[in-house]
Amino acid sequence: MKIHYTLASSPLGRLLVAATDRGISALYLGEGDAQLEKSLQKEYPNAEISRDSKKSKNLAVWVHEILAHLRGLEPHLDLPTDVQGTAFQRRVWEELRRIPSGDTRTYSQVARAIGKPTAIRAVARACATNPVSVIVPCHRVVREDGNLAGYRWGLNRKRALLEHESATAHAKDVRAAGV
């Protein structure tokens, strides 16, 4: 597997986006480049990884779309992914992509939606191991009481993403209503 990646500043800190020619294989948020690069190596230990967005025909375009989304200019991300995961993880990740921007679901709602109502902890684990955060919006999953639960990139980032999406969705509803 050949992966090319790039780093950029985003409204949520440093952003690492890595991709194969088939799609995005990692989207990480953090404070420092070294920590993000180490996470990429750990996630894909057998891949040939290089920091060079010019070698990937689509990486620069995808990064532009992700940054536009994080800045509130692109409400819905529908980008291709190329990630490794079990069949169960893939089912969870597909279900997460169905959650509209500005909405949330509980872990138990996601478990029921994929036909595994007792697999709540496994759903939480699939969210925690999602390598393409934001594109597969695991931040939209909350606890049964509505409170935020763990997020690989920190609860402050999860809160910021949810608040941003809620405000963007509300503004869209106001415009649609002609107010």
Side-chain angles (χ1 to χ4, degrees), residues 2-177:
K2 290 183 179 182
I3 297 175
H4 304 288
Y5 74 95
T6 191
L7 293 145
S9 292
S10 81
L12 296 173
R14 294 298 287 167
L15 172 74
L16 180 145
V17 181
T20 66
D21 286 338
R22 293 187 307 228
I24 298 169
S25 51
L27 192 158
Y28 301 161
L29 300 163
E31 299 305 319
D33 294 357
Q35 169 237 346
L36 295 171
E37 290 169 326
K38 187 175 183 179
S39 294
L40 181 63
Q41 290 287 341
K42 186 177 179 183
E43 187 95 40
Y44 295 100
N46 298 320
E48 183 182 315
I49 299 173
S50 64
R51 181 178 177 175
D52 186 355
S53 61
K54 292 176 182 70
K55 287 187 178 177
S56 172
K57 60 183 174 183
N58 297 310
L59 186 55
V61 172
W62 294 334
V63 170
H64 177 78
E65 288 184 44
I66 292 163
L67 289 171
H69 174 76
L70 293 175
R71 292 181 181 123
L73 305 173
E74 181 68 42
H76 181 72
L77 282 177
D78 187 21
L79 300 175
T81 60
D82 186 8
V83 295
Q84 300 170 347
T86 66
F88 180 84
Q89 287 172 316
R90 288 179 182 279
R91 286 176 59 198
V92 170
W93 298 338
E94 287 169 16
E95 184 60 32
L96 298 182
R97 290 183 89 158
R98 291 185 187 100
I99 303 171
S101 182
D103 287 354
T104 60
R105 300 288 185 273
T106 65
Y107 294 99
S108 59
Q109 285 174 318
V110 173
R112 284 192 303 273
I114 64 167
K116 300 285 186 183
T118 61
I120 299 165
R121 292 179 78 120
V123 165
R125 184 73 186 136
C127 290
T129 57
N130 167 22
V132 286
S133 62
V134 182
I135 297 168
V136 173
C138 53
H139 61 276
R140 295 181 188 154
V141 184
V142 297
R143 291 181 7 184
E144 200 68 36
D145 62 7
N147 288 320
L148 302 184
Y151 185 58
R152 184 176 184 178
W153 311 114
L155 288 182
N156 287 338
R157 284 190 181 93
K158 182 172 186 166
R159 185 175 296 105
L161 282 164
L162 290 172
E163 288 172 356
H164 167 72
E165 288 180 355
S166 179
T168 302
H170 176 70
K172 180 182 171 188
D173 291 343
V174 168
R175 283 191 303 274

